[in-house]
Every structure is written in structure tokens, then in C-alpha cells.
Amino acid sequence: MHEIICPHCGKAFKIDEAGYADILKQVRDSDFEQQLHKRLELAEADKQNAVELAMSKVTGELQKTAAAKDSEIQELKAKLDAGEITRKLAVTEALSSVEKERDTLANELAKTLRERDSAAKLAEAHLLNQLQKAAATKDAVIQELTSKLSATEVAQKLAISEAVGRAERERDELRGCLERSELEKQLAEKSLKDKYETQIKDRDDAIDRLRDMKARLSTKMVGETLEQHCDTEFNRIRATAFPRAYFEKDNDARSGSKGDYIFRDADETGTEIVSIMFEMKNESDETGSKKKNEDFLKELDKDRNEKSCEYAVLVSLLEPDSELYNSGIVDMSHRFRKMYVIRPQFFIPIVTLLRNAAQNSLMYKKELALVKEQNTDITNFENELDAFKTGFARNYELASKKFKTAIQEIDKTIDHLQKTKDALLGSENNLRLANNKADDLTVKKLAKGNPTMAAKFAELKNQNPSDNE
């Protein structure tokens, strides 16, 4: 038995003497040798043709791919030349990736060719050195080389196809991102534009409606709207803040004019705390002749006096640009007593302020009413005393005249009526005594039985003890 080692795979196999002799015979055979050389030459030619064809195909494919990529890159660069730096970078990265892959494939191809050349040369050397071994393995070597070459071509095509597909996908993704960003930008701009156009249209419509409404309102209607506002604001807090208050429209126009509202408030005994005459004034924007607040103060004061109100308040929206009236409650007492001009938002505050201030002075009002009542008692007493004195003096004067007349008649007949004269003189003396008694009549004596006067004189006695000594 003889052992033969394969020069390609290194595998050892054994053949018998007959087989070994047969191989030696074939190797030594000149015809076999010529055929072997021819087949080796054919194999070498096929190998070279295959290598050149593969290189030609790979080069052509790479050139086409590079040309296509260059064209696409130029096209992308032209489209993205408007400052799209990120897309340029992406294209550059894609180009770099493709070029790297192309270079890698070229290097792998060159390396494969070099390795294949080395393997072919190694196989040829082994075949020359060991013809006996080459004969047995030449077909396998050729087949293996052919398979490797085919596999290399397929791998190269697949790699190139994958690189092209990846580049195309990246290009499509970039193009899609660009289109989506442009579409999103257009949609956002359109949405924002539509939103603001809608808001502007709504605002213009609201302004037109308000202007149209104001144009249709007369000055009286605008004023009544202000009255309704004040009436609503007051009724909203009436039950809690002003349970005993009177706040109604002034419908009494017997004097030729009237205010808008009258406010009166009283305590639990019915004593009036405060009273206010209100006038509400407003005008529309389209009113030709603009009024001033001072134009209504005199008429308001007149209405206040006719309705016996303590305070007068003008609730006004006139002169809207006046800093004086816009600053708060304006005191107009320098023009008319206890008069104020306010904006509608100060309606409830001024009612509260005036009512609270009046409550603080309610005690003094009650004391003043008591003093007035006492003064009335004294006045009535003095009037009765004066009437008594007047009547008594009149009666005394009449009686004195009659007595004087009688005396004169008596003097004429004195001789005959001496006794009558003496009697009359006695009557005159009695009248004189009566007059003295009347003169002696004092206020203190007449105050007896009058508790009010007795209290007053007792108070005077206590205050002036020196007058009684």
C-alpha cells in the first residue's frame, strides 16, 4: 500500500500497488503528459479569462455605480445647495460610505485575485513538482477555483447591490424628510395664518356688531342701560347690606323735572339715616354734541332740594378721557353742597360710605330732635305767657280808660257825688293792687305744674346759684 497526500487539502489517502503503478504509468506516459500540459494551459487561460472578465465586470459595475452615485450626489447637492447643511452632511456621509464600501470591495477583489494568483502559482508549482499528485486533484482544483471565482463575483455583486440599495434608500429617506418638512412647514404656516385670520375676523365682526348696536341706541336708551346696571348692582346686595333701604325710580315730575333714582335708609325706629338723589348720564359714541358732567349739576341740585334729599350723586360715563373723573369719587361740594360725581364702578362704594357716615351722626340727629322738641315746649310756654300779658294789659287799658272817664264825670258832679267818687277811687286802688300782682307774676310761678319748665328752671338754678341769693 502506498500513501498519497493531496497538495490542496493536505488529506492523505492510500492506494494499492496496482493503482499506484497505474498512476505512475500515466504520469510517465508522454501522451498523458501532453494532454496534461494542454489542460493546464487551458485551465490557465480559462483562469486568466475568468479573472479578466471578473475584473472587467467589477470595474464596469463600479464605474456605473460611481457614475450613478456621482450623478445622484450632484443632483442632491444642487437641490440642497440652499443652506441645507444637515442634508449636505448626510449626502456627504452617504457618499463617503459608498466610496468606502467601493474601496473595500476593490481591495477585497484585489486581495482575492492576489490570493487566487498565489494559490494558482502554488498549485502549479506543486503540479510541476508532483505530477502524480496533480493528475488526481487537477479537476478538483479547477472546480474549486471556479466555485471561488463564482462566489467572489456573487459576493461582489451582492455587496454592490446592497451599497446601491442603501444609498438609494438614504437618498429616498432624505428626499422624503425634505418633502415632509416642507409639507409640515406649509401646513403649519397655513394653520397659523388661518388661525389669526379667524381671530381677526371674529374681532372685526364683534367690533362691527358693537358699533352697529351703539349706532342704533339713542342717548336715552344708553342712559337707561346705565340705570339698569345700577339697579341690578344695588338689588344684588340689598337684602344683606340695606335691608330697610328705599331705592326706587323718581317718578314724581310735578315740578317739571325729576331725578333718576332716590335712595333713603332708616334705622329700626324709622328715623331717616341718609337720603340720596341719583342721576345717571351716558351717551353713545356717535352722539354729535358731547355733553359735560357740569351741564347736569344744577338740575340735579334742584331735583335734590325738591325731593328733600341730603346728598346728590351724578353717576356718569360722560367725558371718558377725563383724568379727574376717572380717578375715583369727585367731590363737587364747591359747586353744590353735598354733591358728588362718580363712575358706575363706584356706585355701591359711595352709597355705603354715605350711609356709614350718616349712621355715625345718627346719635347727634336724635339729640338735635330732642332739643328741638324741648325748644318747642319753651316756645309754646312763652307764647302763652305773652298772650296772657297782652290780654291782661289790654283789659287793664280799657278798664283804666273807662275809670278815667268816670272820674271826669264824677269830678263834674263832685259836690253831689263825693261818696261815689271815693268808692270809685277805692276801685281804682284795687285795680292798682291787681296790676301790681300782675307785675309780680313771674315765669317761675307760671312754670309750676309744667315739668319741662320746672326741669329747665331747676337746671338754671343749679348752674347759677348766685342769682338765688
Side-chain angles (χ1 to χ4, degrees), residues 10 98 160 171 175 245 306 327 358 447:
V98 171
I160 293 170
R171 179 199 63 192
R175 185 177 298 167
E306 290 178 353
S327 60

Side-chain angles (χ1 to χ4, degrees), residues 236-371:
R236 187 177 297 170
I237 63 171
R238 179 198 289 267
T240 55
F242 307 102
R244 291 182 294 273
Y246 169 90
F247 183 72
E248 301 293 340
K249 286 185 68 69
D250 181 16
N251 296 318
D252 185 5
R254 289 176 294 180
S255 61
S257 65
K258 62 184 182 65
D260 288 331
Y261 275 84
I262 294 178
F263 172 84
R264 297 183 188 277
D265 198 8
D267 64 1
E268 60 276 1
T269 63
T271 303
E272 185 176 281
I273 300 174
V274 65
S275 58
I276 309 172
M277 171 65 74
F278 282 100
E279 182 76 15
M280 288 74 171
K281 289 297 177 184
N282 192 5
E283 62 187 4
S284 63
D285 295 336
E286 287 75 16
T287 302
S289 58
K290 300 296 183 180
K291 298 290 185 179
K292 293 185 177 181
N293 291 317
E294 293 187 0
D295 297 339
F296 302 96
L297 299 183
K298 184 177 180 180
E299 188 70 19
L300 176 58
D301 184 63
K302 177 185 175 183
D303 295 336
R304 178 258 302 273
N305 293 327
E306 290 178 353
K307 301 307 184 322
S308 301
C309 293
E310 182 179 1
Y311 293 93
V313 177
L314 176 63
V315 183
S316 171
L317 286 173
L318 305 179
E319 301 181 63
D321 298 328
S322 173
E323 294 183 2
L324 174 63
Y325 297 114
N326 291 335
S327 60
I329 298 174
V330 180
D331 187 356
M332 304 299 292
S333 299
H334 62 283
R335 297 291 304 277
F336 300 95
R337 66 179 185 86
K338 296 185 178 182
M339 183 176 289
Y340 301 91
V341 178
I342 64 170
R343 295 302 189 197
Q345 63 266 30
F346 296 103
F347 170 70
I348 295 299
I350 196 171
V351 174
T352 305
L353 289 173
L354 294 180
R355 197 277 303 269
N356 292 341
Q359 278 184 330
N360 296 332
S361 62
L362 181 61
M363 180 179 63
Y364 301 105
K365 287 184 178 181
K366 291 182 177 180
E367 293 180 355
L368 180 60
L370 180 61
V371 170

Side-chain angles (χ1 to χ4, degrees), residues 45-315:
D46 292 337
K47 180 189 73 173
Q48 293 295 332
N49 292 332
V51 170
E52 291 176 357
L53 181 60
M55 291 183 65
S56 176
K57 287 183 179 180
V58 170
T59 303
E61 292 292 334
L62 289 176
Q63 288 177 351
K64 289 181 181 180
T65 301
K69 295 305 174 186
D70 292 336
S71 176
E72 290 178 357
I73 291 168
Q74 292 299 326
E75 183 179 357
L76 289 174
K77 285 183 178 181
K79 289 182 180 179
L80 303 176
D81 195 42
E84 299 291 339
I85 298 176
T86 55
R87 283 177 288 177
K88 286 184 177 181
L89 291 176
V91 172
T92 303
E93 291 177 356
L95 176 62
S96 176
S97 176
V98 171
E99 290 176 347
K100 287 180 179 179
E101 290 178 355
R102 183 189 63 189
D103 295 337
T104 301
L105 291 174
N107 292 331
E108 289 178 354
L109 177 60
K111 182 178 179 181
T112 301
L113 292 176
R114 287 195 300 270
E115 291 176 353
R116 188 170 53 188
D117 291 339
S118 298
K121 289 179 180 179
L122 181 62
E124 184 179 1
H126 281 287
L127 287 173
L128 292 175
N129 293 327
Q130 298 179 358
L131 292 175
Q132 67 280 10
K133 297 179 181 179
T137 59
K138 64 181 187 307
D139 294 332
V141 172
I142 293 171
Q143 184 65 33
E144 183 178 357
L145 290 174
T146 304
S147 299
K148 284 186 177 181
L149 181 60
S150 299
T152 303
E153 291 177 354
V154 172
Q156 290 175 347
K157 289 181 179 180
L158 289 175
I160 293 170
S161 177
E162 290 178 358
V164 171
R166 185 162 51 250
E168 289 177 349
R169 287 194 299 272
E170 291 177 354
R171 179 199 63 192
D172 294 338
E173 289 177 358
L174 290 174
R175 185 177 298 167
C177 291
L178 178 62
E179 292 176 353
R180 284 195 299 272
S181 62
E182 289 293 334
L183 181 59
E184 291 175 356
K185 179 180 178 183
Q186 292 176 1
L187 291 175
E189 290 177 353
K190 186 176 183 303
S191 176
L192 189 63
K193 182 179 179 182
D194 293 342
K195 176 183 176 183
Y196 284 109
E197 285 179 352
T198 302
Q199 291 179 352
I200 293 172
K201 185 177 182 300
D202 293 341
R203 183 196 62 186
D204 293 339
D205 291 343
I207 292 173
D208 292 339
R209 286 195 300 271
L210 290 174
R211 286 179 177 173
D212 183 62
M213 183 184 68
K214 283 194 171 184
R216 292 196 304 268
L217 290 176
S218 63
T219 302
K220 182 175 183 297
M221 291 176 66
V222 175
E224 289 178 351
T225 303
L226 182 56
E227 291 177 11
Q228 292 172 2
H229 165 76
C230 295
D231 185 70
T232 301
E233 289 297 313
F234 182 82
N235 288 326
R236 187 177 297 170
I237 63 171
R238 179 198 289 267
T240 55
F242 307 102
R244 291 182 294 273
Y246 169 90
F247 183 72
E248 301 293 340
K249 286 185 68 69
D250 181 16
N251 296 318
D252 185 5
R254 289 176 294 180
S255 61
S257 65
K258 62 184 182 65
D260 288 331
Y261 275 84
I262 294 178
F263 172 84
R264 297 183 188 277
D265 198 8
D267 64 1
E268 60 276 1
T269 63
T271 303
E272 185 176 281
I273 300 174
V274 65
S275 58
I276 309 172
M277 171 65 74
F278 282 100
E279 182 76 15
M280 288 74 171
K281 289 297 177 184
N282 192 5
E283 62 187 4
S284 63
D285 295 336
E286 287 75 16
T287 302
S289 58
K290 300 296 183 180
K291 298 290 185 179
K292 293 185 177 181
N293 291 317
E294 293 187 0
D295 297 339
F296 302 96
L297 299 183
K298 184 177 180 180
E299 188 70 19
L300 176 58
D301 184 63
K302 177 185 175 183
D303 295 336
R304 178 258 302 273
N305 293 327
E306 290 178 353
K307 301 307 184 322
S308 301
C309 293
E310 182 179 1
Y311 293 93
V313 177
L314 176 63
V315 183

Side-chain angles (χ1 to χ4, degrees), residues 327-420:
S327 60
I329 298 174
V330 180
D331 187 356
M332 304 299 292
S333 299
H334 62 283
R335 297 291 304 277
F336 300 95
R337 66 179 185 86
K338 296 185 178 182
M339 183 176 289
Y340 301 91
V341 178
I342 64 170
R343 295 302 189 197
Q345 63 266 30
F346 296 103
F347 170 70
I348 295 299
I350 196 171
V351 174
T352 305
L353 289 173
L354 294 180
R355 197 277 303 269
N356 292 341
Q359 278 184 330
N360 296 332
S361 62
L362 181 61
M363 180 179 63
Y364 301 105
K365 287 184 178 181
K366 291 182 177 180
E367 293 180 355
L368 180 60
L370 180 61
V371 170
K372 286 182 178 180
E373 183 180 353
Q374 293 175 353
N375 289 339
T376 300
D377 291 341
I378 296 173
T379 301
N380 292 336
F381 173 76
E382 291 177 347
N383 292 336
E384 291 176 0
L385 180 60
D386 291 339
F388 174 78
K389 286 184 177 182
T390 301
F392 187 85
R394 182 174 176 276
N395 291 334
Y396 174 77
E397 183 180 0
L398 292 175
S400 178
K401 287 180 179 180
K402 290 180 180 181
F403 281 121
K404 286 181 180 180
T405 302
I407 290 173
Q408 290 175 358
E409 293 296 330
I410 291 170
D411 286 339
K412 292 178 181 179
T413 59
I414 192 169
D415 293 337
H416 302 287
L417 301 169
Q418 186 64 42
K419 292 181 180 181
T420 304

